[in-house]
Amino acid sequence: LPETTPEIPGFEIAALTIPAMEIGGDLYDFIPLEKNRWGFVIADVSGKGASAALYMALCRTHIHACGEDNADPAEAIRQANRLIYADGRSSMFITVFYAVLDPREMTFSSVNAGHNPPILIRGEPPVAQVVEGKGIALGVIEEIQTNTLTLSLHHGDIIVLYTDGITEAFNERDEYYGEERM
């Protein structure tokens, strides 16, 4: 995981992970791109523990390299999937949300490969809405179909990216947190 968040003028970035075990298969990452744009990745490998963490490291490398090479998030994720599928010697897979933030154009272009959909909070009073779009997880099949969704951003917008570790959590009374509460 990155040691720091990127400093992007006009934007505030925060990130946190708390693994269910000592190590796990959740990931977030930031990819510096040309023209002062930034790639944002949040992902979750099936499984837990050391094997999930090792698989995540492999997937992170592929996603990072493909993100740097492709301006279009959908093409980056299609290419990463091909590499992950070719390396897939296990029954593991990875859900990924990948987006490119263009601070100059105030756009957030994304693709969702089986991951929890982000939440966009906008307006006064603030209204939360799910960012639609969901495809298949990476590493499941050799070729996937993905489309890039582009949001125009407004000052004050909040985008929340998360893994199912939040929505599938239980409290001490064994109550499920869930997507509605999220």
Side-chain angles (χ1 to χ4, degrees):
L1 297 173
E3 291 183 17
T4 62
T5 58
E7 296 204 15
I8 304 171
F11 291 84
E12 294 179 39
I13 313 295
L16 174 70
T17 185
I18 303 171
M21 301 171 74
E22 266 189 56
I23 57 173
D26 288 2
L27 162 81
Y28 65 86
D29 201 3
F30 310 106
I31 305 170
L33 303 171
E34 294 177 341
K35 300 178 184 174
N36 295 318
R37 294 174 308 135
W38 281 90
F40 288 76
V41 179
I42 187 161
D44 187 5
V45 165
S46 59
K48 304 242 181 286
S51 61
L54 289 171
Y55 190 71
M56 177 56 73
L58 170 72
C59 293
R60 178 200 175 272
T61 301
H62 290 319
I63 294 167
H64 210 281
C66 294
E68 287 177 345
D69 289 344
N70 292 288
D72 177 30
E75 182 53 37
I77 290 302
R78 283 193 295 269
Q79 183 179 351
N81 177 69
R82 284 187 212 93
L83 296 170
I84 291 166
Y85 182 83
D87 277 342
R89 294 173 187 83
S90 71
S91 60
M92 298 180 94
F93 60 89
I94 179 173
T95 66
V96 177
F97 179 84
Y98 175 63
V100 173
L101 172 66
D102 186 332
R104 192 173 45 75
E105 297 292 325
M106 290 291 287
T107 58
F108 191 74
S109 301
S110 66
V111 63
N112 191 335
H115 199 73
N116 301 83
I119 297 171
L120 171 65
I121 302 168
R122 167 180 284 172
E124 193 57 48
V127 175
Q129 64 185 45
V130 173
V131 177
E132 297 300 327
K134 196 159 191 170
I136 190 167
L138 305 187
V140 176
I141 59 175
E142 187 172 4
E143 291 295 328
I144 60 171
Q145 296 300 314
T146 57
N147 295 309
T148 298
L149 170 71
T150 300
L151 294 173
S152 293
L153 299 177
H154 307 288
H155 292 285
D157 283 354
I158 299 171
I159 299 175
V160 180
L161 308 177
Y162 61 98
T163 67
D164 62 9
I166 292 177
T167 56
E168 294 179 0
F170 290 87
N171 65 16
E172 62 280 349
R173 293 182 305 274
D174 211 27
E175 296 169 326
Y176 184 63
Y177 191 70
E179 289 183 14
E180 185 62 31
R181 289 177 72 192
M182 172 66 187

